[in-house]
Amino acid sequence: MSTSDHASQSSVELLYIDHHHWLQGWLRRRLGNASDAADLAHDAFLRLLAAPRRFDSVAQARGYLRTMANGLCIDLWRRREVEQAWLQTLAARPEAVEPSPEHRAVIIETLLEIGDMLRRLPQKAATAFVMAQVDGAPYREIAHRLGVSERMVKKYIAQAMLQCALIEAGLAP
Amino acid sequence: MAATDLPAPPENDAAKAGFDSLEQAASWYATLRSEDATEQERQSWRDWLAQSPEHARAWAHVEAVGRRFDPLRRSGREAAVAGIEAARRGTVGRRQALNGIAGLFGLGLAGWLGWRHTPLPEIVMAWSADYRTATGEQREIALADGSRVWLNTGSALRVDYRADIRLLRLIAGEILIQTAADDAGRPFCVDTRCGRMQALGTRFSVRHDEGRTRLDVFESAVEIRNTAGAVQRVDAGQRADFTGHIISALEPAEAAREAWRRGVLLADNIPLGQLIDELARYRPGRIGVAPEVAELSVMGVYPANDPERALAMLENTLPVRVRRTLPWWITVEAR
């Protein structure tokens, strides 16, 4: 570890001493839950450690931390919502499925990423694409479920694939 | 973190070539994926694939995208549909939050001042504006308080930050705004000739042409007060049109009014005539649509910075052809 690494690490340590308690309190009020607040506060400082930055004042440091923590809260809420929607539908299935915690984390991450990529599409196009991709449903079946023509399903698939491909290629945000 | 996994953004030319091939690859993917795909179609696909390395790369990319769904296979279709629907509903995409602005298409394409008719007073006003874009040009402005403004094609904007108000004046064209909180607590307002919009929140677009103003709100809310004094609050996901005299009923906001920042025209089952009107804003000259095809429904993503390419895409997907009477006079008609 070089000297500058040492310097930046110790400056994050100072920030931690000065602001960790405050940030955790702020998160607790926002989330209404102490253990999530502790996790996210920890996460925020880990990110700061990964990309250290210098602040000129207490107000500036707290402003930055607050913005970052707010982003983390939104991420957390969205993740919970997705997880819940997925689990509820899973629970309705006749055969029991009990994914391992690792597998579960991978699935939630995948759902979030794909949901991001498909968020600009009309709902029917997104649903058609997911149905076709996840278990290779025939276009006829997708068309029936969505109440559209098979030709439309094909259009949906092409449109959704293009959207995802553009995002993956960095050609669209 | 996801942001660091993304490939470096390609140069603009590469981006355009990529758009082309990716569009074809996606279309082939949809064709071959169908249970009714014919041997003839498969042969045409193989020919296309062999045509150029660019095609092969695009195809490999599309297949890789398809494999992203693999982890979802085991828990089944319905859970995946429900989970992704929940993820789609999240208001701010994480990628968007992580990447900030990564608009690739269209930024900085210089054109020249449009042939399109603009009332004289507005042209004169436009020359006195602080920020302008030519036809086909888009640009991003960072304001002193950290707020950001994107100017769409053919737009003119004045910025007037004072001790008690942060005021923008949209003289012509269209802007998308992301406001930042102000230390001094000053209100953030946008004026057009039709009235004033005060931001109660963060993200909205304003378009002013032909004497009317259109407001689409994407986050939080904006309050309109037109010159006649009528007041209307417009919340996230809503849109209103107004003149100096009247404010329309609220309608759903359109994603297309946000998508142009990325150089993309979004068509979600809109009439062809409407898409062509939109496209015409990005291109000097005139584009007309024959009445018999103006009502055709269009869906898809079109590159705004490359109107010629967008027209070619329409020719490929709809029963229309593009007739060029003169270089700057184009008519879209039935094939």
Side-chain angles (χ1 to χ4, degrees):
Chain A
M1 194 182 265
S2 72
T3 3
S4 70
D5 281 343
H6 267 301
S8 55
Q9 194 184 355
S10 64
S11 78
V12 173
E13 276 170 23
L14 285 178
L15 280 168
Y16 187 91
I17 292 164
D18 286 346
H19 305 301
H20 179 263
H21 186 72
W22 163 82
L23 183 66
Q24 201 168 321
W26 186 87
L27 279 163
R28 197 170 49 239
R29 282 193 300 279
R30 189 141 167 72
L31 295 165
N33 158 352
S35 84
D36 282 346
D39 282 351
L40 289 197
H42 185 68
D43 201 359
F45 280 99
L46 277 183
R47 282 175 191 227
L48 209 51
L49 195 58
R53 34 186 311 147
R54 203 165 279 288
F55 299 105
D56 297 331
S57 66
V58 168
Q60 197 192 21
R62 292 201 166 174
Y64 181 83
L65 284 168
R66 199 161 45 219
T67 305
M68 180 174 16
N70 193 39
L72 293 174
C73 288
I74 290 168
D75 258 9
L76 179 74
W77 287 325
R78 184 158 171 257
R79 181 177 292 268
R80 292 265 156 88
E81 248 173 58
V82 169
E83 190 165 15
Q84 200 177 353
W86 177 74
L87 282 172
Q88 267 171 5
T89 319
L90 207 61
R93 275 167 55 130
E95 74 274 36
V97 187
E98 196 61 63
S100 69
E102 293 81 8
H103 186 216
R104 189 154 141 174
V106 170
I107 287 175
I108 301 304
E109 196 54 35
T110 305
L111 290 171
L112 284 163
E113 280 177 13
I114 293 176
D116 257 4
M117 295 201 285
L118 298 179
R119 94 194 113 92
R120 304 257 173 216
L121 290 174
Q123 183 180 356
K124 282 186 175 179
T127 304
F129 193 48
V130 176
M131 285 178 73
Q133 288 302 116
V134 170
D135 63 0
Y139 284 7
R140 234 183 306 285
E141 192 187 327
I142 301 174
H144 181 72
R145 153 108 169 238
L146 297 178
V148 298
S149 68
E150 282 174 50
R151 206 163 145 260
M152 198 64 201
V153 171
K154 189 158 134 186
K155 230 170 156 178
Y156 282 153
I157 304 293
Q159 186 195 16
M161 179 48 101
L162 177 60
Q163 172 81 20
C164 292
L166 288 173
I167 290 172
E168 283 278 287
L171 293 178
Chain B
M1 222 190 302
T4 54
D5 296 333
L6 290 175
E11 297 298 317
N12 229 347
D13 282 349
K16 269 187 236 166
F19 195 100
D20 239 23
S21 303
L22 286 176
E23 197 215 358
Q24 292 165 16
S27 161
W28 276 121
Y29 187 88
T31 301
L32 299 182
R33 180 61 201 66
S34 164
E35 61 272 25
D36 296 329
T38 63
E39 185 44 45
Q40 198 184 352
E41 281 171 330
R42 272 190 276 272
Q43 187 51 53
S44 308
W45 164 71
R46 282 191 285 269
D47 293 344
W48 171 82
L49 202 57
Q51 240 168 41
S52 84
E54 174 77 33
H55 289 176
R57 271 200 298 279
W59 181 256
H61 181 68
V62 157
E63 283 200 311
V65 170
R67 286 194 294 275
R68 293 288 298 276
F69 286 79
D70 287 353
L72 305 180
R73 295 242 154 90
R74 202 142 38 110
S75 59
R77 177 211 297 179
E78 296 308 324
V81 167
I84 285 174
E85 207 36 55
R88 260 161 47 80
R89 277 198 305 270
T91 45
V92 181
R94 290 181 317 152
R95 226 177 252 270
Q96 193 179 16
L98 290 170
N99 290 2
I101 332 111
L104 247 217
F105 284 118
L107 299 180
L109 255 206
W112 55 91
L113 205 69
W115 179 90
R116 275 161 65 80
H117 176 69
T118 310
L120 191 61
E122 298 203 334
I123 289 182
V124 173
M125 291 268 279
W127 288 116
S128 69
D130 298 318
Y131 299 99
R132 272 192 303 275
T133 49
T135 300
E137 188 188 5
Q138 295 182 330
R139 71 185 279 199
E140 181 192 347
I141 305 162
L143 297 173
D145 61 338
S147 295
R148 287 196 300 221
V149 179
W150 290 267
L151 264 73
N152 203 354
T153 173
S155 302
L157 180 73
R158 245 185 234 169
V159 176
D160 189 5
Y161 272 33
R162 303 180 206 155
D164 59 338
I165 188 172
R166 296 174 286 167
L167 182 63
L168 305 186
R169 185 169 174 83
L170 179 63
I171 298 157
E174 183 170 24
I175 50 177
L176 176 70
I177 297 157
Q178 175 89 53
T179 63
D182 187 37
D183 294 336
R186 293 171 297 175
F188 188 103
C189 295
V190 179
D191 280 3
T192 68
R193 282 168 70 178
C194 299
R196 170 166 296 184
M197 284 149 281
Q198 178 169 350
L200 308 172
T202 48
R203 192 176 178 83
F204 60 102
S205 83
V206 180
R207 176 164 167 181
H208 178 76
D209 53 19
E210 287 160 12
R212 55 195 280 140
T213 298
R214 168 180 177 161
L215 167 71
D216 289 65
V217 179
F218 304 106
E219 269 178 39
S220 195
V222 175
E223 190 175 84
I224 301 171
R225 178 182 295 271
N226 71 2
T227 50
V231 174
Q232 172 72 55
R233 180 188 160 104
V234 184
D235 285 304
Q238 293 180 327
R239 142 193 189 191
D241 292 64
F242 64 100
T243 66
H245 307 292
I246 54 162
I247 303 179
S248 74
L250 297 175
E251 286 175 65
E254 283 175 15
R257 302 270 53 86
E258 198 176 18
W260 58 258
R261 164 168 83 71
R262 310 191 318 276
V264 168
L265 297 182
L266 273 189
D268 181 8
N269 278 324
I270 61 172
L272 177 61
Q274 194 184 327
L275 181 68
I276 294 294
D277 280 350
E278 191 68 27
L279 198 58
R281 297 173 63 206
Y282 295 87
R283 186 182 174 284
R286 200 192 116 79
I287 312 182
V289 190
E292 65 269 24
V293 293
E295 292 305 313
L296 286 174
S297 175
V298 195
M299 195 165 74
V301 183
Y302 298 87
N305 69 327
D306 192 350
E308 297 301 325
R309 171 80 204 108
L311 287 168
M313 287 165 71
L314 287 171
E315 271 186 318
N316 284 338
T317 51
L318 295 173
V320 298
R321 68 186 184 112
V322 175
R323 193 159 58 87
R324 290 157 210 278
T325 315
L326 291 167
W328 43 271
W329 187 295
I330 285 179
T331 310
V332 179
E333 55 187 24
R335 190 152 57 202

